[in-house]
Amino acid sequence: MATLALIAWGTLRGRPQDLPWTPLDLGQPVGLFTGRKLTALTEDAALCRGLLTQAGVRFTALPARRDGRCGYDDAVRLTDGGARNTALSPANLGIACPVAAALTMWEWDVLAPAARRHFDARVIRVDHYGSYSCRRLYGRAAGAWSEHSTADAIDIAGFALSDGTRISIARDWKGAGAKAAFLREVRDGACGLFATVLSPDYNAAHRDHFHLDQAARGARGWRACR
């Protein structure tokens, strides 16, 4: 009964992205299962690159890399032009393809409308602290490996808008103004696209950035949004 209800609901609303078995399309609005479909791309690099191409996103596929227990074989570098209009700073960032796909949808479906709503402006740059880093969680000597060790994560530091506004997570997260409201909105929006979203609400280690990753935890695996 529940399955039939889901089929009817998704079909009648004309929203295939709300059904778990429909193909992912980066150009569609975010649906109930978009985040899990994006995370599933960690198992299919060719499909991920094909979806970026289909969506008009320009990129360069990077050579595979191995550093002991670390490395990647699905990393891309987003390039200028095409369907994306937001720069990453520093430039020339290499990230796992599923992270690039989620960042693209985050730009289109979350960042752009939030910037219009709060500032009547566009996001022209996303500042970050990097992606690939061969290390364990929190840089510990032992324990689980970070998603950064496979380039399946990115740490976001802030944003630059077309009207000259600069928004910093470290400086602007606390408060009740437009910048704080923008940051909370884009954090919450990321939760529908990434397997893990950690913000200053999580702990002191994330006081100055959003950690966004596509940790592969299986089709029914847990997802984190803090």
Side-chain angles (χ1 to χ4, degrees):
M1 292 291 291
T3 300
L4 290 174
L6 181 62
I7 293 173
W9 183 70
T11 301
L12 289 174
R13 296 182 70 219
R15 287 177 56 90
Q17 66 269 34
D18 287 332
L19 300 173
W21 49 81
T22 54
L24 177 63
D25 182 341
L26 304 184
Q28 289 183 340
V30 179
L32 293 176
F33 293 90
T34 300
R36 291 191 180 276
K37 292 174 185 178
L38 285 164
T39 302
L41 296 176
T42 57
E43 305 298 326
D44 196 334
L47 173 60
C48 184
R49 292 192 292 267
L51 289 171
L52 289 176
T53 299
Q54 176 184 314
V57 177
R58 295 183 182 176
F59 66 93
T60 300
L62 301 181
R65 176 171 180 169
R66 284 290 172 268
D67 299 309
R69 293 286 300 274
C70 305
Y72 51 75
D73 56 15
D74 64 345
V76 299
R77 177 174 293 125
L78 297 172
T79 54
D80 294 337
R84 293 184 63 259
N85 297 301
T86 303
L88 291 171
S89 180
N92 299 320
L93 176 71
I95 47 177
C97 186
V99 177
L103 281 175
T104 296
M105 293 194 71
W106 194 45
E107 173 189 333
W108 294 341
D109 297 295
V110 179
L111 297 183
R116 286 195 301 269
R117 184 160 34 253
H118 293 284
F119 302 99
D120 194 24
R122 294 180 295 105
V123 178
I124 60 172
R125 191 182 74 234
V126 176
D127 299 324
H128 66 86
Y129 290 141
S131 175
Y132 179 69
S133 177
C134 186
R135 60 178 175 81
R136 299 178 190 269
L137 289 174
Y138 298 104
R140 295 167 180 157
W145 288 88
S146 168
E147 293 299 319
H148 286 284
S149 70
T150 54
D152 280 302
I154 184 172
D155 290 338
I156 303 296
F159 308 89
L161 307 188
S162 58
D163 64 354
T165 299
R166 298 292 184 268
I167 304 172
S168 162
I169 294 169
R171 183 183 62 244
D172 300 318
W173 180 258
K174 296 180 179 179
K179 292 183 178 181
F182 170 85
L183 288 174
R184 280 163 176 76
E185 183 171 332
V186 301
R187 186 274 310 270
D188 293 348
C191 295
L193 299 168
F194 294 89
T196 310
V197 176
L198 302 178
S199 73
D201 282 349
Y202 181 57
N203 62 14
H206 296 85
R207 65 188 178 279
D208 61 352
H209 68 278
F210 297 155
H211 169 92
L212 312 177
D213 77 41
Q214 291 294 22
R217 304 185 182 108
R220 297 178 180 273
W222 57 275
R223 300 171 71 81
C225 178
R226 285 287 302 276

